[in-house]
C-alpha cells in the first residue's frame, strides 16, 4: 500500500513538493504568529526569511528522496516544484530582492 502511494513518478514528486511547500509555509507562518506576536516582537519570519526556510526544508526533503529513499523520478518532480516556486518568489518580489 505504501509503495502504491509513493510511486516513483515525476508527477507524484511534483505533487509532494507542492503540498510540502504549502504545508511548510502555513505551519511556519502560524507558529511565527502564535509565538512571536504574543510577545509583541512582531513577525520574526518576514520575507524573505520565511520563504528561504521553506525552500531549505524542501531541499532537505529532496535530498532524502533522492539519496535515502532512492526515488529518482519523484525527486525530479520535487526539484521541478522547488525551481518553479523559487522563480515565482523572484518574479513576485523582484523589486525587494534587487
Amino acid at each position: 500500500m505504501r509503495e502504491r502511494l509513493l510511486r516513483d513518478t515525476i508527477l507524484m514528486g511534483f505533487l509532494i513538493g507542492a503540498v510540502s511547500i504549502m504545508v511548510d509555509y502555513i505551519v511556519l507562518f502560524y507558529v511565527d504568529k502564535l509565538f512571536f506576536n504574543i510577545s509583541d516582537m512582531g513577525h520574526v519570519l518576514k520575507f524573505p526569511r520565511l520563504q528561504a526556510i521553506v525552500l531549505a526544508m524542501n531541499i532537505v526533503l529532496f535530498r532524502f528522496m533522492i539519496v535515502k529513499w532512492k526515488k529518482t523520478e519523484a525527486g525530479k518532480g520535487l526539484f521541478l516544484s522547488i525551481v518553479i516556486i523559487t522563480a515565482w518568489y523572484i518574479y513576485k518580489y523582484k523589486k525587494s530582492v534587487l
Side-chain angles (χ1 to χ4, degrees), residues 5 7 21-22 40 59 63 71 74 83 88:
L5 289 175
R7 290 181 298 202
I21 288 170
M22 287 187 284
D40 294 330
I59 290 171
R63 186 229 177 250
K71 304 277 186 186
V83 168
W88 181 73

Side-chain angles (χ1 to χ4, degrees), residues 15-31 50 53-55 57-58 61 85 89:
L15 293 174
I16 289 170
V19 169
S20 174
I21 288 170
M22 287 187 284
V23 168
D24 292 345
Y25 188 85
I26 290 168
V27 167
L28 285 175
F29 179 78
Y30 283 110
V31 165
L50 179 63
I53 292 171
V54 168
L55 288 174
M57 291 170 70
N58 281 290
L61 177 64
I85 198 69
Y89 284 152

Side-chain angles (χ1 to χ4, degrees), residues 8-91:
D8 194 18
T9 63
I10 292 177
L11 179 62
M12 186 59 71
F14 183 78
L15 293 174
I16 289 170
V19 169
S20 174
I21 288 170
M22 287 187 284
V23 168
D24 292 345
Y25 188 85
I26 290 168
V27 167
L28 285 175
F29 179 78
Y30 283 110
V31 165
D32 178 47
K33 190 174 182 180
L34 178 69
F35 288 117
F36 296 113
N37 263 355
I38 293 173
S39 63
D40 294 330
M41 290 177 60
H43 289 288
V44 175
L45 298 175
K46 295 180 183 172
F47 175 78
R49 191 176 298 154
L50 179 63
Q51 285 82 1
I53 292 171
V54 168
L55 288 174
M57 291 170 70
N58 281 290
I59 290 171
V60 170
L61 177 64
F62 171 72
R63 186 229 177 250
F64 272 99
M65 193 169 283
I66 293 288
V67 175
K68 188 168 184 171
W69 299 326
K70 308 260 190 265
K71 304 277 186 186
T72 55
E73 293 298 314
K76 291 176 187 177
L78 178 65
F79 184 71
L80 178 65
S81 69
I82 291 171
V83 168
I84 289 172
I85 198 69
T86 304
W88 181 73
Y89 284 152
I90 291 171
Y91 176 74

Side-chain angles (χ1 to χ4, degrees), residues 47-48 87-98:
F47 175 78
W88 181 73
Y89 284 152
I90 291 171
Y91 176 74
K92 184 174 179 188
Y93 299 108
K94 65 183 169 188
K95 294 197 191 278
S96 63
V97 171
L98 298 177

